[in-house]
Structure formats: C-alpha cells, structure tokens
Coordinates of all heavy atoms in Angstrom, one line a residue:
S1 N -61.7 -158.9 86.8 CA -60.7 -159.9 86.7 C -61.0 -161.1 85.8 O -61.6 -162.1 86.4 CB -60.2 -160.4 88.1 OG -59.0 -161.2 87.9
I2 N -60.7 -161.1 84.5 CA -61.1 -162.1 83.7 C -60.1 -163.3 83.4 O -60.3 -164.1 82.6 CB -61.6 -161.6 82.2 CG1 -60.4 -160.9 81.6 CG2 -62.8 -160.6 82.5 CD1 -60.9 -160.4 80.1
F3 N -59.0 -163.2 84.1 CA -57.9 -164.2 84.0 C -58.5 -165.6 84.3 O -59.3 -165.8 85.2 CB -56.9 -163.9 85.0 CG -55.7 -164.8 84.8 CD1 -54.8 -164.9 83.8 CD2 -55.6 -165.9 85.9 CE1 -53.8 -165.8 83.7 CE2 -54.6 -166.7 85.8 CZ -53.6 -166.8 84.7
S4 N -58.4 -166.5 83.4 CA -58.7 -167.9 83.5 C -60.2 -168.1 83.1 O -60.6 -169.2 83.2 CB -58.3 -168.5 84.8 OG -57.0 -168.5 85.0
I5 N -60.9 -167.0 82.7 CA -62.3 -167.2 82.3 C -62.1 -168.1 80.9 O -61.5 -167.6 79.9 CB -62.9 -165.9 82.0 CG1 -63.2 -165.2 83.3 CG2 -64.3 -166.1 81.2 CD1 -64.3 -165.9 84.1
D6 N -62.9 -169.1 80.8 CA -62.9 -170.0 79.7 C -64.2 -170.1 78.9 O -64.4 -169.3 78.1 CB -62.3 -171.4 80.0 CG -62.0 -172.2 78.9 OD1 -62.4 -171.8 77.5 OD2 -61.6 -173.4 79.0
H7 N -65.0 -170.8 79.5 CA -66.3 -171.2 78.9 C -67.3 -170.1 79.3 O -67.4 -169.6 80.4 CB -66.9 -172.5 79.4 CG -68.1 -172.9 78.6 ND1 -69.3 -172.7 79.0 CD2 -68.1 -173.8 77.5 CE1 -70.1 -173.3 78.2 NE2 -69.5 -173.9 77.3
M8 N -68.0 -169.7 78.3 CA -69.1 -168.7 78.5 C -70.3 -169.3 78.0 O -70.4 -170.1 76.9 CB -68.8 -167.3 78.0 CG -67.7 -166.7 78.6 SD -67.5 -165.0 78.1 CE -68.9 -164.2 78.8
G9 N -71.6 -168.9 78.4 CA -72.8 -169.4 77.9 C -74.0 -168.6 78.2 O -74.0 -167.6 79.0
W10 N -75.1 -169.1 77.5 CA -76.3 -168.5 77.8 C -77.3 -169.5 78.4 O -77.4 -170.5 77.8 CB -77.0 -167.8 76.5 CG -76.3 -166.7 76.0 CD1 -75.2 -166.5 75.2 CD2 -76.5 -165.4 76.5 NE1 -74.9 -165.3 75.0 CE2 -75.6 -164.4 75.8 CE3 -77.4 -164.8 77.4 CZ2 -75.6 -163.1 76.0 CZ3 -77.4 -163.4 77.6 CH2 -76.4 -162.4 76.9
Y11 N -78.0 -169.2 79.5 CA -79.1 -170.0 80.0 C -80.4 -169.4 80.0 O -80.4 -168.2 79.8 CB -78.6 -170.3 81.5 CG -77.4 -171.2 81.6 CD1 -76.1 -170.9 81.5 CD2 -77.6 -172.6 82.0 CE1 -75.0 -171.6 81.6 CE2 -76.5 -173.5 82.2 CZ -75.3 -172.9 82.0 OH -74.2 -173.8 82.1
R12 N -81.3 -170.0 80.1 CA -82.8 -169.4 80.2 C -83.7 -170.2 81.2 O -83.4 -171.4 81.5 CB -83.4 -169.3 78.9 CG -83.8 -170.8 78.3 CD -84.3 -170.6 76.9 NE -84.8 -171.8 76.3 CZ -85.2 -171.9 75.0 NH1 -85.2 -170.9 74.2 NH2 -85.6 -173.0 74.6
Q13 N -84.6 -169.5 81.7 CA -85.5 -170.1 82.7 C -87.0 -169.7 82.4 O -87.1 -168.3 82.5 CB -85.1 -169.9 84.0 CG -85.9 -170.6 85.2 CD -85.4 -170.6 86.5 OE1 -84.6 -169.7 86.8 NE2 -85.8 -171.5 87.4
A14 N -87.7 -170.5 82.0 CA -89.2 -170.2 81.6 C -90.1 -170.4 82.9 O -89.6 -171.1 83.8 CB -89.7 -171.0 80.5
P15 N -91.1 -169.7 82.9 CA -92.0 -169.8 84.2 C -92.4 -171.2 84.5 O -92.9 -171.9 83.6 CB -93.2 -169.0 83.9 CG -92.7 -168.0 82.9 CD -91.6 -168.7 82.1
G16 N -92.1 -171.7 85.6 CA -92.6 -173.1 86.0 C -91.6 -174.2 85.5 O -91.8 -175.4 85.7
K17 N -90.4 -173.8 84.9 CA -89.5 -174.7 84.5 C -88.1 -174.4 85.0 O -87.8 -173.4 85.6 CB -89.3 -174.6 82.9 CG -90.5 -174.9 82.1 CD -90.5 -174.8 80.7 CE -89.5 -175.8 80.1 NZ -89.4 -175.8 78.6
Q18 N -87.2 -175.5 84.8 CA -85.8 -175.3 85.5 C -85.0 -174.6 84.5 O -85.2 -174.6 83.3 CB -85.3 -176.9 85.7 CG -84.1 -176.9 86.7 CD -84.0 -178.3 87.0 OE1 -84.3 -179.3 86.2 NE2 -83.3 -178.6 88.2
R19 N -83.9 -173.9 85.0 CA -82.9 -173.2 84.2 C -82.2 -174.2 83.4 O -81.8 -175.3 83.9 CB -82.0 -172.5 85.0 CG -81.0 -171.6 84.3 CD -80.1 -170.7 85.1 NE -80.9 -169.8 86.0 CZ -80.5 -168.7 86.7 NH1 -79.1 -168.6 86.9 NH2 -81.2 -168.1 87.5
E20 N -82.1 -174.0 82.0 CA -81.3 -174.8 81.1 C -80.4 -174.1 80.3 O -80.4 -172.8 80.1 CB -82.4 -175.3 80.2 CG -83.1 -174.5 79.3 CD -84.0 -175.1 78.3 OE1 -83.9 -176.3 78.0 OE2 -84.8 -174.4 77.7
L21 N -79.4 -174.8 79.9 CA -78.3 -174.2 79.1 C -78.7 -174.1 77.5 O -79.3 -175.3 77.1 CB -77.1 -175.1 79.1 CG -75.9 -174.7 78.1 CD1 -75.3 -173.5 78.4 CD2 -74.8 -175.9 78.0
V22 N -78.8 -172.9 77.0 CA -79.1 -172.7 75.7 C -78.1 -172.9 74.7 O -78.1 -173.5 73.7 CB -79.8 -171.3 75.6 CG1 -80.1 -171.0 74.1 CG2 -80.9 -171.2 76.5
A23 N -76.9 -172.2 75.0 CA -75.8 -172.3 74.1 C -74.5 -172.0 75.0 O -74.5 -171.2 75.9 CB -75.8 -171.3 73.0
G24 N -73.4 -172.7 74.6 CA -72.1 -172.4 75.2 C -71.0 -172.2 74.3 O -71.1 -172.7 73.1
I25 N -69.9 -171.5 74.7 CA -68.8 -171.3 73.7 C -67.5 -171.3 74.6 O -67.4 -170.6 75.6 CB -69.0 -170.1 72.9 CG1 -67.9 -169.8 71.9 CG2 -69.1 -168.8 73.9 CD1 -68.1 -168.8 70.9
S26 N -66.5 -172.0 74.2 CA -65.3 -171.9 74.8 C -64.4 -170.8 74.3 O -64.6 -170.1 73.4 CB -64.4 -173.3 74.5 OG -63.9 -173.4 73.2
S27 N -63.3 -170.5 75.1 CA -62.4 -169.6 74.8 C -61.7 -169.7 73.2 O -61.4 -168.8 72.6 CB -61.2 -169.5 75.8 OG -60.5 -170.7 75.8
G28 N -61.7 -171.1 72.8 CA -61.2 -171.3 71.6 C -62.2 -171.2 70.5 O -62.0 -171.3 69.2
G29 N -63.5 -171.1 70.8 CA -64.5 -170.8 69.9 C -65.4 -172.0 69.6 O -66.4 -171.9 68.8
S30 N -65.2 -173.1 70.2 CA -66.0 -174.2 70.0 C -67.5 -174.0 70.7 O -67.4 -173.4 71.8 CB -65.4 -175.5 70.6 OG -65.1 -175.4 71.9
T31 N -68.5 -174.6 70.1 CA -69.8 -174.2 70.6 C -70.6 -175.4 70.7 O -70.4 -176.5 70.1 CB -70.6 -173.2 69.5 OG1 -70.6 -174.0 68.3 CG2 -69.7 -171.9 69.4
N32 N -71.7 -175.3 71.6 CA -72.6 -176.3 71.8 C -74.0 -175.7 72.0 O -74.1 -174.5 72.6 CB -72.2 -177.2 73.0 CG -72.2 -176.6 74.3 OD1 -71.2 -175.8 74.5 ND2 -73.1 -176.8 75.1
Y33 N -75.2 -176.3 71.7 CA -76.4 -175.8 71.6 C -77.4 -176.8 72.2 O -77.2 -178.0 72.1 CB -76.9 -175.3 70.2 CG -76.1 -174.3 69.6 CD1 -75.0 -174.5 68.8 CD2 -76.4 -172.9 69.8 CE1 -74.2 -173.5 68.2 CE2 -75.7 -171.9 69.3 CZ -74.6 -172.2 68.5 OH -73.8 -171.2 67.9
A34 N -78.4 -176.2 72.9 CA -79.5 -177.1 73.2 C -80.3 -177.5 71.9 O -80.3 -176.8 70.9 CB -80.5 -176.4 74.0
D35 N -80.8 -178.8 71.9 CA -81.4 -179.3 70.6 C -82.7 -178.4 70.2 O -82.8 -178.3 69.1 CB -82.0 -180.7 70.9 CG -80.9 -181.7 71.0 OD1 -79.6 -181.5 70.4 OD2 -81.1 -182.8 71.5
S36 N -83.2 -177.7 71.2 CA -84.3 -177.0 70.8 C -84.1 -175.7 70.1 O -85.0 -175.1 69.4 CB -85.2 -176.6 72.1 OG -84.3 -175.9 73.0
V37 N -82.8 -175.3 70.0 CA -82.4 -174.0 69.4 C -81.6 -174.3 68.3 O -81.1 -173.2 67.7 CB -81.9 -172.9 70.4 CG1 -82.8 -172.8 71.6 CG2 -80.4 -173.5 70.9
K38 N -81.0 -175.4 68.0 CA -80.1 -175.7 67.0 C -80.7 -175.2 65.7 O -81.9 -175.5 65.3 CB -79.6 -177.2 66.8 CG -78.8 -177.6 68.0 CD -78.5 -179.1 67.8 CE -77.5 -179.5 68.9 NZ -77.1 -180.9 68.9
G39 N -79.9 -174.5 64.8 CA -80.2 -174.0 63.5 C -81.0 -172.6 63.7 O -81.2 -172.0 62.6
R40 N -81.4 -172.3 64.8 CA -82.0 -170.9 65.1 C -81.2 -169.9 65.8 O -81.2 -168.7 65.5 CB -83.3 -171.1 65.7 CG -84.3 -172.0 65.0 CD -85.7 -172.0 65.6 NE -85.7 -172.6 66.9 CZ -86.0 -171.8 68.0 NH1 -86.5 -170.6 68.0 NH2 -85.9 -172.4 69.3
F41 N -80.4 -170.4 66.7 CA -79.6 -169.5 67.6 C -78.1 -169.6 67.3 O -77.7 -170.8 66.9 CB -79.7 -169.8 69.1 CG -81.1 -169.5 69.7 CD1 -82.2 -169.1 68.8 CD2 -81.4 -169.5 71.1 CE1 -83.5 -168.8 69.4 CE2 -82.7 -169.3 71.6 CZ -83.6 -168.9 70.7

C-alpha cells in the first residue's frame, strides 16, 4: 500500500557511527544530499 508515500531516501550507517541521511527525494522530484556526497551521488 503505497498510497500517500511521498519522501523517499537513502541512509547509511558506518561501524561506530550514527545512521545518517545520504540523499532524499520527494514525490515531485526535489532532492537533497549530505554535504559529504554532493557531486558524487
């Protein structure tokens, strides 16, 4: 049931570190990225 699903994203968790948002995208296609991956992902 994907009704009302809007934002989707990718998170990552490295050993010994907290889970962080890598990239997100809205249903309309707007995106946001972590500074560490901008220009690469």
Side-chain angles (χ1 to χ4, degrees):
S1 181
I2 62 173
F3 180 75
S4 294
I5 292 291
D6 186 358
H7 193 270
M8 298 187 67
W10 291 94
Y11 292 73
R12 69 185 180 187
Q13 187 166 23
K17 298 182 66 177
Q18 204 166 24
R19 185 176 298 188
E20 64 174 347
L21 175 66
V22 178
I25 186 167
S26 71
S27 61
S30 61
T31 60
N32 61 287
Y33 297 91
D35 289 340
S36 59
V37 307
K38 286 181 179 177
R40 300 188 298 120
F41 291 9

